[in-house]
């Protein structure tokens, strides 16, 4: 069953960090769709913004003087490589990039990693890769009491108007309950990046939301339409003039 992602977010005060990968068909073009967001409950987590880089985005402190512990919260969530776009909730972005550059697969990369060591939450590491064809993969590495680290991988073919969503948590709690089950199949109907960004940002919990990244990539031209929303600094909308793929 396909669900409405905005409705899911409105009904969940704290999904933590989330990844959406999917596709939107438009007359004359087929666009791949990416969304990634971060939320926070502590002052340290909320003191962040997304900043564009040459190959994607990074998190950084909004107020450096208030940053108490950069571990686990400062990283590159999005990096573009020749195979596609990597999206994750931690420094495993760089692990995947390095393995792909060596000609190895993202699954091999993630077999070297596990959940975050933030006891008692043991936050899952969620990751995705959007391929140049529009097909995509998602994964989650999470803590299980008896088995240690459970690694789950999901592969999807591009389907116009649909995508899949995965988050770190099922909701708020103490400790936070890890995401369970398969990624959620969701509708992708927003006509462009600004429209999807507005939908998702307005649906996210006002107190906990921190930053949102949305990108539509025309699979024929490779041009990207990108929106970054930061609670501290507002919205930036950019349209690429050069192909994202190199």
């Amino acid at each position: 069953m396909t669900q409405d992602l905005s409705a899911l977010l409105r009904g969940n005060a704290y999904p933590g960090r989330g990844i959406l990968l999917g596709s939107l068909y438009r007359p004359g073009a087929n666009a791949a769709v990416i969304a990634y967001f971060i939320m926070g409950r502590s002052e340290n987590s909320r003191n962040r913004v997304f900043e564009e880089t040459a190959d994607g985005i990074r998190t950084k402190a909004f107020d450096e003087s208030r940053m108490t512990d950069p571990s686990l919260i400062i990283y590159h969530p999005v990096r573009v490589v020749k195979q596609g776009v990597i999206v994750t909730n931690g420094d495993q972005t760089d692990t995947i990039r390095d393995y792909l550059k060596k000609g190895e697969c993202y699954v091999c990369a993630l077999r070297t990693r596990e959940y975050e060591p933030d006891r008692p939450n043991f936050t899952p590491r969620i990751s995705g890769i959007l391929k140049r064809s529009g097909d995509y993969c998602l994964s989650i590495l999470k803590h299980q009491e008896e088995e240690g680290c459970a690694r789950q991988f999901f592969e999807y073919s591009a389907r116009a108007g649909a995508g899949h969503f995965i988050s770190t948590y099922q909701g708020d709690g103490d400790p936070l309950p890890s995401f369970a089950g398969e990624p959620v199949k969701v509708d992708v109907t927003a006509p462009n990046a600004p429209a999807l960004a507005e939908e998702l940002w307005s649906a996210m919990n006002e107190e906990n939301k921190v930053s949102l990244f949305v990108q539509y990539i025309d699979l024929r031209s490779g041009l990207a339409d990108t929106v970054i929303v930061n609670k501290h600094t507002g919205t930036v909308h950019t349209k690429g003039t050069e192909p994202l793929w190199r």
Side-chain angles (χ1 to χ4, degrees):
M1 182 178 70
T2 305
Q3 300 188 48
D4 182 325
L5 180 54
S6 295
L8 290 176
L9 293 177
R10 282 192 294 271
N12 187 347
Y14 198 67
R17 288 162 272 177
I19 298 172
L20 165 68
L21 298 179
S23 296
L24 174 75
Y25 176 77
R26 297 175 297 184
N30 189 16
V33 176
I34 301 170
Y36 176 70
F37 65 76
I38 58 174
M39 305 181 83
R41 299 191 302 177
S42 69
E43 180 181 2
N44 198 46
S45 291
R46 291 174 177 176
N47 179 36
R48 290 184 291 171
V49 293
F50 285 164
E51 179 181 72
E52 284 192 272
T53 64
D55 66 344
I57 60 171
R58 67 170 183 166
T59 62
K60 63 173 292 187
F62 171 64
D63 182 347
E64 295 285 355
S65 68
R66 292 168 48 209
M67 178 61 67
T68 57
D69 181 7
S71 65
L72 301 180
I73 64 172
I74 300 299
Y75 56 94
H76 289 255
V78 176
R79 285 195 187 274
V80 178
V81 294
K82 68 179 182 179
Q83 295 92 336
V85 183
I86 305 163
V87 188
T88 89
N89 72 323
D91 62 11
Q92 71 267 28
T93 308
D94 296 346
T95 305
I96 297 170
R97 176 201 58 183
D98 294 345
Y99 267 69
L100 292 177
K101 282 186 174 181
K102 294 187 297 183
E104 299 188 51
C105 68
Y106 93 105
V107 173
C108 298
L110 290 172
R111 283 177 178 152
T112 70
R113 303 302 304 268
E114 61 178 29
Y115 49 83
E116 296 181 357
D118 58 337
R119 185 184 297 270
N121 296 314
F122 297 113
T123 297
R125 291 188 186 272
I126 55 173
S127 307
I129 181 164
L130 173 71
K131 301 176 183 179
R132 295 177 63 162
S133 63
D135 297 342
Y136 53 94
C137 306
L138 289 167
S139 70
I140 184 168
L141 316 180
K142 60 184 180 180
H143 177 263
Q144 291 191 340
E145 289 294 339
E146 301 298 328
E147 293 80 6
C149 182
R151 297 178 177 87
Q152 298 175 315
F153 301 93
F154 308 90
E155 299 184 5
Y156 300 100
S157 298
R159 293 289 183 269
H164 288 84
F165 170 76
I166 193 169
S167 59
T168 51
Y169 309 124
Q170 294 188 70
D172 209 345
D174 190 15
L176 290 158
S178 294
F179 182 91
E182 296 183 10
V184 181
K185 186 177 181 181
V186 296
D187 293 313
V188 179
T189 58
N192 50 49
L196 180 58
E198 182 178 359
E199 283 183 18
L200 299 183
W201 188 252
S202 62
M204 293 165 64
N205 180 270
E206 183 64 32
E207 183 178 3
N208 294 326
K209 63 186 179 184
V210 176
S211 296
L212 169 68
F213 168 89
V214 174
Q215 188 169 72
Y216 278 43
I217 306 167
D218 187 303
L219 294 176
R220 292 193 309 177
S221 68
L223 297 179
D225 185 15
T226 307
V227 175
I228 293 175
V229 186
N230 289 309
K231 192 169 186 177
H232 291 295
T233 59
T235 302
V236 176
H237 178 205
T238 58
K239 287 193 172 184
T241 58
E242 297 291 333
L244 196 65
W245 318 118
R246 292 178 176 87

